[in-house]
Amino acid sequence: MVNVTVWNENRHEKSNPAVSEVYPLGIHGTISEFLSKAGFAVKTATLDEPEHGLTEEILNNTDVLIWWGHMAHDEVRDSIVGKVKQRVLDGMGLIVLHSGHFSKIFKALMGTSCDLKWREAGEKERIWVVNPSHPITDGLPEYIELANEEMYGEHFDIPAPDELVFVSWFQGGEVFRSGCTYRRGNGKVFYFRPGHETYPTYHNEQIQQVIINAVKWATPVKRSRPVYGNSKPLEEL
């Protein structure tokens, strides 16, 4: 069984009644619920837990880590970021959602500012499938339409994705690379744009399907990890 850990700051839910009304279980609780129904073994972790809920034991037993952050990126300890990064390099999958683009872990793995344009106006978003053969798009229509979302616009300061899976169009006219995959070391990383905390985006079944598909895609392959460092010759020298 695939072991998934859903990490969330869990700050907006505590400070903003509008968020707790949309996500009474917390964003992490909502995501955990539909992933559990999909057959994954799911744990949650939040910022204010000891070690941000990401102890060495938890990380070592996580196949795929899902990350949602926004208002407290700077409070995430660098030592924990370093451990998460190493686990990704060792093979753990990482799915970064929405404003997690500005998280320390995503910026550390991308090596860029990860900055972008944004506007919170509750406008329509169409998320177009631009890579229809990709497994993350399994079971999806040509596009997903969200009635209300926060706008993210180009230029998105990220490295060119290994694979561009989704592109968003917004009612105000902007477009955005909203579904991007990367390989980092032995691990796979997927960034998925939608998910502003005051909108019920993670209750949308098609958005849920994307995340379920992404967990399957990001799950580590079952093989021995490469051996690095000084190596004896295979043939006689």
Side-chain angles (χ1 to χ4, degrees):
M1 182 172 288
V2 178
N3 295 309
V4 182
T5 300
V6 182
W7 191 90
N8 174 31
E9 284 178 355
N10 197 33
R11 289 287 182 81
H12 287 290
E13 294 92 331
K14 294 178 178 179
S15 61
N16 187 344
V19 178
S20 59
E21 184 176 347
V22 175
Y23 295 108
L25 302 176
I27 290 173
H28 56 297
T30 296
I31 295 173
S32 173
E33 188 173 53
F34 69 73
L35 289 177
S36 295
K37 290 178 180 178
F40 302 111
V42 188
K43 295 182 177 67
T44 62
T46 57
L47 179 66
D48 293 324
E49 294 176 46
E51 299 186 64
H52 308 321
L54 298 174
T55 63
E56 194 163 332
E57 181 182 1
I58 291 292
L59 286 173
N60 287 341
N61 288 285
T62 297
D63 296 312
V64 179
L65 176 64
I66 297 177
W67 193 281
W68 196 102
H70 184 204
M71 65 188 296
H73 296 311
D74 290 343
E75 294 184 40
V76 179
R77 287 162 38 195
D78 291 341
S79 60
I80 302 299
V81 175
K83 290 179 181 179
V84 173
K85 180 179 178 181
Q86 188 58 54
R87 281 288 294 127
V88 173
L89 298 178
D90 288 342
M92 181 182 73
L94 177 66
I95 299 171
V96 177
L97 299 175
H98 190 58
S99 45
H101 72 90
F102 241 17
S103 64
K104 287 183 178 180
I105 182 58
F106 191 62
K107 291 198 285 187
L109 289 166
M110 296 298 105
T112 58
S113 76
C114 300
D115 214 343
L116 45 78
K117 295 181 178 70
W118 64 274
R119 177 178 60 247
E120 189 179 341
E123 58 201 273
K124 182 190 298 181
E125 175 181 7
R126 287 198 187 106
I127 306 167
W128 287 92
V129 173
V130 295
N131 191 344
S133 66
H134 199 283
I136 291 178
T137 71
D138 188 33
L140 298 177
E142 286 189 318
Y143 63 86
I144 301 169
E145 185 164 309
L146 301 174
N148 302 107
E149 252 297 349
E150 180 181 17
M151 185 282 292
Y152 281 4
E154 296 288 345
H155 177 246
F156 188 14
D157 187 21
I158 52 173
D162 293 339
E163 301 162 304
L164 182 59
V165 183
F166 300 106
V167 169
S168 286
W169 168 89
F170 292 90
Q171 193 172 348
E174 292 83 2
V175 296
F176 190 75
R177 289 168 289 167
S178 54
C180 304
T181 74
Y182 297 91
R183 268 76 172 180
R184 290 294 183 265
N186 295 299
K188 290 177 278 188
V189 179
F190 177 58
Y191 173 75
F192 189 44
R193 194 220 72 82
H196 185 67
E197 66 274 5
T198 58
Y199 305 123
T201 299
Y202 296 123
H203 295 293
N204 182 292
E205 291 184 359
Q206 292 172 338
I207 297 298
Q208 292 178 3
Q209 188 63 55
V210 172
I211 296 172
I212 290 167
N213 292 345
V215 169
K216 295 176 182 177
W217 171 84
T219 297
V221 296
K222 302 298 182 183
R223 63 178 299 275
S224 299
R225 294 294 164 218
V227 176
Y228 302 103
N230 186 267
S231 181
K232 294 181 180 180
L234 298 176
E235 308 293 342
E236 186 175 344
L237 296 179

